[in-house]
Amino acid sequence: MKVVVAGGAGFLGSHLVDAHLDKGDSVVILDNFCTGSPSNIKHLAENDRVEAIEVDVSEHVPDLKEVDLVYNLASPASPPAYLALALETMAVGSEGTRRLLELSERSHARFVMASTSEIYGDPSEHPQRESYRGNVDATGPRSVYDEAKRFSEAMTFAFHRTFGTNIGVARIFNTYGPRLAPGDGRVVSNFIVQALKGDPLTIYGDGSQTRSLCFVADLVRGLMALGESSITGPVNLGNPDERSVGEIASLILSLTNSNSSVEYLPLPTDDPTRRCPDIAVAKRELGWEPRTMTEDGLRVTIEHFRSLLAS
Ligand code: NAD
Ligand code: UDP
């Protein structure tokens, strides 16, 4: 297969690229490196089945030929990144998604949209099923990301209904693992870097808000299962192992053997109070479920950051 990964130099995208190359596919990466890094794909420099094109997909998508599968992972994903790149985030969710859908349509390629659990906002249904319509503040600071992804989903389904485009929408819940950027600002990378450096762990609010953490290898397997299937979704991909942020901090302190203290900082506006995926659809339609225990995935991620900080 010839696979296009928009956002392929990012955290999730670079693992997805590796997995498709391992399968024998060829891959074209489209990335403007606004939050991704050349270091995530530098190990592929000598691989003649991969091509990396530096491009802002909101502005332009090359007219690639004989494409079988297009993944749209292009978007800032960490809250500090999308707050700093507010208009770029809205542009890539709208114009970028439209241009990538047009590429899929021209090539008769399947299109997989990396949407998010942020579709559910601060949820009043728990755990979240795909049928839940969400509780998003349309004008709050997080809306630049949430509404861009909601628009992406709407655009993806509009292409499907108008042109019959072969689509699949994944709603990804918090995912972590090696290649998260150390300064990315997400909870797992922040806590691990702080614990390894002996700095205080910054808990926002009282730490009672929950997240369900999925290890990257599991998530990539789910995205590929969606790519290989013919279902439209939307389908939740995530690990239902729900923990409070306070528990995540304690776990990381214990797994790193760190003496760091904990510092409580203000909770960001509209920070969702709880989040846990119902993955019945993914189990039934894709035969997918996560396999990695949170403790095991965190150990692997800690080792990655330990060697990164030592280098
Ligand atoms: P990331 O920031 O590491 O990766 C995003 C990639 O997209 C980066 O390489 C960035 O440079 C690229 N990009 C952004 N705007 C672009 C543009 N206009 N043109 C070309 N490239 C562009 O984040 P990630 O965690 O790897 O997330 C990947 C995708 O998965 C994102 O769309 C994100 O919304 C979605 N997602 C991730 C998670 C998660 O927990 N990691 C959860 C839900 C959804
Ligand atoms: N969080 C925290 N300290 C940090 C970073 C994040 O307490 O240093 C909290 C954040 O407020 C949220 C949760 O951890 O409740 C997950 O944050 P993240 O940015 O990783 O992802 P989100 O689910 O908010 O998009």
Side-chain angles (χ1 to χ4, degrees):
M1 281 208 300
K2 180 165 168 182
V3 181
V4 173
V5 183
F11 158 56
L12 286 182
S14 62
H15 287 282
L16 182 65
V17 169
D18 286 348
H20 270 287
L21 290 171
D22 286 349
K23 250 185 78 206
D25 297 328
S26 64
V27 179
V28 180
I29 295 169
L30 306 177
D31 206 297
N32 68 350
F33 301 104
C34 68
T35 56
S37 165
S39 67
N40 288 336
I41 52 171
K42 69 173 187 305
H43 60 288
L44 305 174
E46 304 298 314
N47 190 323
D48 58 11
R49 281 187 289 114
V50 64
E51 181 186 5
I53 302 175
E54 183 168 353
V55 63
D56 180 343
V57 298
S58 305
E59 300 288 335
H60 175 71
V61 166
D63 190 15
L64 303 164
K65 303 293 181 202
E66 292 169 10
V67 174
D68 300 295
L69 177 59
V70 176
Y71 291 97
N72 181 14
L73 277 74
S75 172
S78 149
Y82 64 68
L83 294 175
L85 297 169
L87 298 180
E88 293 85 345
T89 301
M90 299 204 81
V92 76
S94 51
E95 278 302 286
T97 299
R98 183 177 64 77
R99 288 176 194 282
L100 290 161
L101 276 160
E102 285 170 350
L103 170 66
S104 298
E105 190 41 34
R106 279 196 301 276
S107 323
H108 304 292
R110 181 159 166 81
F111 178 86
V112 172
M113 176 67 215
S115 185
T116 168
S117 54
E118 284 283 326
I119 292 289
Y120 305 122
D122 190 9
S124 51
E125 176 177 310
H126 195 73
Q128 292 80 53
R129 282 177 298 187
E130 291 84 348
S131 55
Y132 176 56
R133 293 186 181 181
N135 174 28
V136 174
D137 176 355
T139 58
R142 290 175 89 98
S143 64
V144 296
Y145 182 70
D146 301 4
E147 298 293 356
K149 291 289 186 180
R150 291 172 76 90
F151 187 89
S152 289
E153 288 200 10
M155 176 81 83
T156 303
F157 273 85
F159 264 69
H160 176 62
R161 290 192 191 102
T162 307
F163 304 115
T165 313
N166 179 359
I167 60 147
V169 172
R171 290 185 179 156
I172 303 171
F173 284 64
N174 297 65
T175 302
Y176 69 96
R179 296 190 198 148
L180 264 172
D184 172 283
R186 282 179 268 192
V187 66
V188 171
S189 43
N190 271 10
F191 285 177
I192 293 179
V193 170
Q194 289 160 346
L196 292 176
K197 286 182 164 174
D199 295 339
L201 268 60
T202 51
I203 292 185
Y204 303 157
D206 62 6
S208 63
Q209 72 273 32
T210 68
R211 292 295 185 273
S212 304
L213 303 177
C214 187
F215 187 59
V216 63
D218 285 330
L219 200 283
V220 162
R221 203 165 35 77
L223 273 180
M224 290 173 78
L226 181 61
E228 282 162 15
S229 79
S230 56
I231 66 161
T232 58
V235 55
N236 288 339
L237 294 180
N239 187 335
D241 180 10
E242 181 183 9
R243 313 271 179 126
S244 73
V245 164
E247 283 168 341
I248 296 169
S250 306
L251 186 55
I252 289 175
L253 284 174
S254 137
L255 292 173
T256 50
N257 273 326
S258 171
N259 293 321
S260 286
S261 58
V262 166
E263 182 183 9
Y264 290 89
L265 297 177
L267 190 66
T269 309
D270 289 339
D271 198 285
T273 45
R274 54 192 183 162
R275 193 174 284 154
C276 179
D278 181 317
I279 59 167
V281 173
K283 281 185 182 168
R284 188 179 67 239
E285 303 289 335
L286 303 175
W288 177 85
E289 62 183 312
R291 294 176 189 148
T292 312
M293 304 286 291
T294 304
E295 283 73 4
D296 294 339
L298 285 174
R299 277 193 198 93
V300 172
T301 311
I302 288 164
E303 282 324 302
H304 162 79
F305 279 108
R306 212 187 281 283
S307 44
L308 196 72
L309 294 178
S311 63

